[in-house]
Amino acid sequence: MEVIHNLGILSIKKNVNENIGFLLTNKKGSYCSFFNMLSSRYQGLFYFDEKTMNMYKFIDNIGLVGGEVSHLKNGFYFVERRKGNVIESFIMPKGFNSLVYELGSENEIDLILDCKSSYDNREWGRYYDIFEEDGFIIVKFTKKTDKREDSSNGFEEFTLYLAIKSNNNYYKKNDKWFERYYIDDEQRKSLPFKRYVYNALRLNGSKFVFSVSINKKDAIRECQFVYNNIDKLKNKEKEDFFSLLKLDSIKKIITNGKIGNEIKIAYINAVNSLNNLIADSKDNFGILAGLPWFFQFWARDTLISLKALSKINYEFAKKIIFNYLNKINNDGRLQNLMGQHNSKNLGNADAHGWLFFRCNEVIKKINEDKEAINSIKKSIKIIKQNKNSTSERIKEYLKNCNSIINKKEKEYHKILYEIEASLEKSLSGLLKFHTKDNFEFNDKLETWMDTEFQNDLREGVRIDINALRLNMYKLMFELTQNQKYKVFENVLKMRLRNNFWNEKILADGLNDFTIRPNIFIAAYVYPELLTNKEWEICFGNALKSLWLNWGGLSTIDKSHPLFIETDTGEDIRSYHRGNSWFWVNNLTALILNKINKDKFKKQIQKIIEASTEEILWKGCIGCHAELSSAKELQSRGCWNQAWSNAMFIEVVDDVIG
């Protein structure tokens, strides 16, 4: 099947032999995703309730009668597929919980429904009511408890509405239940592999709008508006996408003659996919960690992704930082999940460290702006000394300049004070509750490697966590010039070198020299821990144990007894004990380039090539997935992962751009 990334003279295409899909979002959390072969219960049209942060599926599939998919075109803000002789077009207008589905000619489609909370796989108590109202086809879904599966019977849990409008509004009720088999879910060991879904309607037309809401009137109102304004909404989507490409940091990559089209298109896709994971509403704002499963604001994932996000939307990234600065707990940490959600408060040992690491970029920008302000001040002083500066117009101009400068300086002072106060609160809590023998320690499953298998828990003193603490001390000293923080930094640095560095490898934990890629994270956040020559030795030895020939790193030494070379899905044996994570791979290429780009040239190139291939030609095209098996390059885990996209953006910016 042919896959096309359509962007003018940069367009590329390739024949692939995989089950390929796409994913569109409305930047409010809702998404749609369809693959050539329906293979997962997480494919379909999903509605995100911004107030509760619950995700609901409504449409399982839109079945065009007859024909197989022969090509898929990624238009970045829309997707086209060819089935037989018919072109299907999909677009999700930003800010609307609606899917616009258009065909090149009048055709029949079967609308298959499976309305449910995203993680809920109960079979009983599902009620669909189909009727017409004001020229719209309405599907009302009600979920009730059922004694065959629940402790109660007949209790109404929620109701959702689907409003449908087409160019002729013809429909026929199919009213059939049938069992669907999901091959990808079976391969992931994600139960259930089979599920009864509802063949609700046979529709006919060439232009359809599907709108979902918890309120019937809202669903109808939105469906009407979107249908009446399809062309305007398409133009707005196009305008918004191309405005991304005009950003200086992105334009720099696009216009770089030394970069091939594949990397350029992969980079644009990563920017677009990260941007599409933004959810910004009056009720909640943040970055969804990944779709389809991680539709929450995970603090760690967000903060790791924030440098790349700031290139797309600096003000939004800054808004997240200052929201998080106000969320520091008394123990100095951030909670794992932000916003409204029903998940338990899991322990998080590193989000606070990433928060202050990302504050470095804010402070760097302020310092650059201060230099510009000082230059302007010097110019003003020179103008004032000029005998011709006594005119009223010049005086008024200088007065306005001083007013702007004073306002900016007050703003910068406030920002730096807020960072300093939050950092002081965090360090105070950490020193009291999470510090022992100068080290920061964590409980089990509190680092980014947060799964358990055969007592592999990563509790205790860990290299990445303590590298982040070192950066916090360094930043606090820079802000306050208080020597005690320089002492804290030097003592911890010395203790880490004495206990973790054996002149060959940097330990993953205190008394744990298991080789893992967390040493690259440590070098990314606190490169001063070792000299460049020492990092070279460390990385050279680590890569012998972690390197995967297709262009990635295993999450554990390949000779370790817990190493699993093939992704085991929801059976988490391979998750942090073999699987190769794209965000770590991209970060590794970035830091290898900084330490010795010539010595590690092969690994840097292979990592970028592998990530590029995954984004362009595997899984959900245009999205950087969560991970791959160690054995071979695959698109596994979450289809669109924020920190994978973000670190690809960073590595292209720093290594190639």
Side-chain angles (χ1 to χ4, degrees), residues 4-13 73-78 238 241-246 250 253-255 261-269 271-272 616:
I4 304 163
H5 295 272
N6 187 47
L7 195 63
I9 60 173
L10 294 180
S11 296
I12 53 175
K13 60 184 178 180
K73 180 193 290 185
N74 171 26
F76 298 88
Y77 59 94
F78 70 96
K238 181 178 180 180
F241 170 70
F242 280 99
S243 69
L244 270 183
L245 305 190
K246 293 175 184 176
I250 297 164
I253 300 298
I254 296 172
T255 57
N261 279 8
E262 285 211 345
I263 292 178
K264 286 181 181 179
I265 290 291
Y267 180 88
I268 293 166
N269 272 305
V271 167
N272 191 48
L616 295 178

Side-chain angles (χ1 to χ4, degrees), residues 62-190:
I62 300 171
L64 179 63
V65 178
E68 298 292 326
V69 177
S70 59
H71 88 236
L72 192 157
K73 180 193 290 185
N74 171 26
F76 298 88
Y77 59 94
F78 70 96
V79 170
E80 283 184 1
R81 296 194 306 189
R82 178 182 290 276
K83 266 190 175 181
N85 295 320
V86 181
I87 298 291
E88 299 176 290
S89 175
F90 303 80
I91 193 165
M92 277 194 89
K94 301 297 182 284
F96 296 94
N97 291 305
S98 297
L99 171 65
V100 178
Y101 175 71
E102 295 179 286
L103 301 171
S105 59
E106 298 262 330
N107 273 273
E108 291 186 328
I109 61 171
D110 284 330
L111 189 66
I112 315 300
L113 305 179
D114 185 17
C115 195
K116 68 189 188 78
S117 180
S118 189
Y119 300 145
D120 185 7
N121 297 305
R122 290 173 296 170
E123 293 272 17
W124 301 100
R126 297 183 283 163
Y127 298 91
Y128 293 95
D129 185 18
I130 301 171
F131 54 93
E132 283 190 76
E133 186 169 320
D134 299 330
F136 295 84
I137 305 165
I138 307 297
V139 181
K140 177 185 177 182
F141 174 81
T142 305
K143 177 68 181 83
K144 297 181 180 181
T145 58
D146 189 287
K147 63 184 178 182
R148 286 166 286 193
E149 293 174 306
D150 306 304
S151 57
S152 64
N153 190 66
F155 174 76
E156 188 172 312
E157 295 184 347
F158 68 88
T159 299
L160 279 181
Y161 293 89
L162 175 69
I164 306 166
K165 188 169 181 62
S166 70
N167 56 313
N168 63 27
N169 260 20
Y170 164 84
Y171 76 98
K172 180 180 72 174
K173 292 183 182 180
N174 290 335
D175 193 27
K176 295 178 183 176
W177 291 85
F178 69 96
E179 190 175 51
R180 176 84 79 189
Y181 166 55
Y182 299 108
I183 187 171
D184 283 357
D185 293 342
E186 181 175 34
Q187 289 175 351
R188 289 184 54 247
K189 301 178 178 61
S190 175

Side-chain angles (χ1 to χ4, degrees), residues 465-509:
I465 306 302
N466 282 273
L468 286 163
R469 173 73 75 89
L470 280 168
N471 175 72
M472 292 174 72
Y473 288 147
K474 177 187 172 187
L475 178 59
M476 193 60 170
F477 175 71
E478 289 173 358
L479 288 170
T480 66
Q481 294 299 300
N482 187 328
Q483 286 296 326
K484 77 173 183 179
Y485 295 109
K486 177 56 70 175
V487 172
F488 288 160
E489 180 187 355
N490 288 336
V491 169
L492 178 55
K493 180 179 177 181
M494 179 186 68
R495 297 222 64 199
L496 285 171
R497 285 183 60 89
N498 289 341
N499 289 275
F500 281 63
W501 174 237
N502 64 5
E503 299 187 3
K504 292 181 180 179
I505 196 72
L506 196 60
D508 186 59

Side-chain angles (χ1 to χ4, degrees), residues 139-309:
V139 181
K140 177 185 177 182
F141 174 81
T142 305
K143 177 68 181 83
K144 297 181 180 181
T145 58
D146 189 287
K147 63 184 178 182
R148 286 166 286 193
E149 293 174 306
D150 306 304
S151 57
S152 64
N153 190 66
F155 174 76
E156 188 172 312
E157 295 184 347
F158 68 88
T159 299
L160 279 181
Y161 293 89
L162 175 69
I164 306 166
K165 188 169 181 62
S166 70
N167 56 313
N168 63 27
N169 260 20
Y170 164 84
Y171 76 98
K172 180 180 72 174
K173 292 183 182 180
N174 290 335
D175 193 27
K176 295 178 183 176
W177 291 85
F178 69 96
E179 190 175 51
R180 176 84 79 189
Y181 166 55
Y182 299 108
I183 187 171
D184 283 357
D185 293 342
E186 181 175 34
Q187 289 175 351
R188 289 184 54 247
K189 301 178 178 61
S190 175
L191 290 167
F193 316 142
K194 296 179 180 180
R195 178 174 171 83
Y196 276 89
V197 296
Y198 183 56
N199 185 344
L201 294 163
R202 171 67 60 92
L203 307 173
N204 184 281
S206 60
K207 183 185 297 186
F208 305 85
V209 173
F210 304 96
S211 301
V212 185
S213 179
I214 57 175
N215 181 282
K216 182 178 68 173
K217 288 183 178 179
D218 288 345
I220 291 173
R221 188 184 302 114
E222 180 171 306
C223 191
Q224 180 74 70
F225 180 85
V226 172
Y227 188 86
N228 290 343
N229 293 276
I230 287 176
D231 290 336
K232 287 181 181 178
L233 292 170
K234 282 183 183 177
N235 288 334
K236 182 66 167 59
E237 294 299 302
K238 181 178 180 180
E239 180 185 318
D240 288 349
F241 170 70
F242 280 99
S243 69
L244 270 183
L245 305 190
K246 293 175 184 176
L247 295 171
D248 289 341
S249 58
I250 297 164
K251 190 161 59 175
K252 177 184 173 185
I253 300 298
I254 296 172
T255 57
N256 190 328
K258 296 179 182 178
I259 303 177
N261 279 8
E262 285 211 345
I263 292 178
K264 286 181 181 179
I265 290 291
Y267 180 88
I268 293 166
N269 272 305
V271 167
N272 191 48
S273 293
L274 179 60
N275 187 46
N276 285 339
L277 288 172
I278 289 174
D280 190 9
S281 71
K282 63 180 181 180
D283 296 303
N284 283 296
F285 66 92
I287 309 171
L288 304 181
L291 290 173
W293 307 311
F294 305 133
F295 46 84
Q296 303 87 11
F297 303 144
W298 291 76
R300 175 190 298 118
D301 302 54
T302 295
L303 292 161
I304 288 172
S305 305
L306 216 56
K307 183 176 180 179
L309 183 71

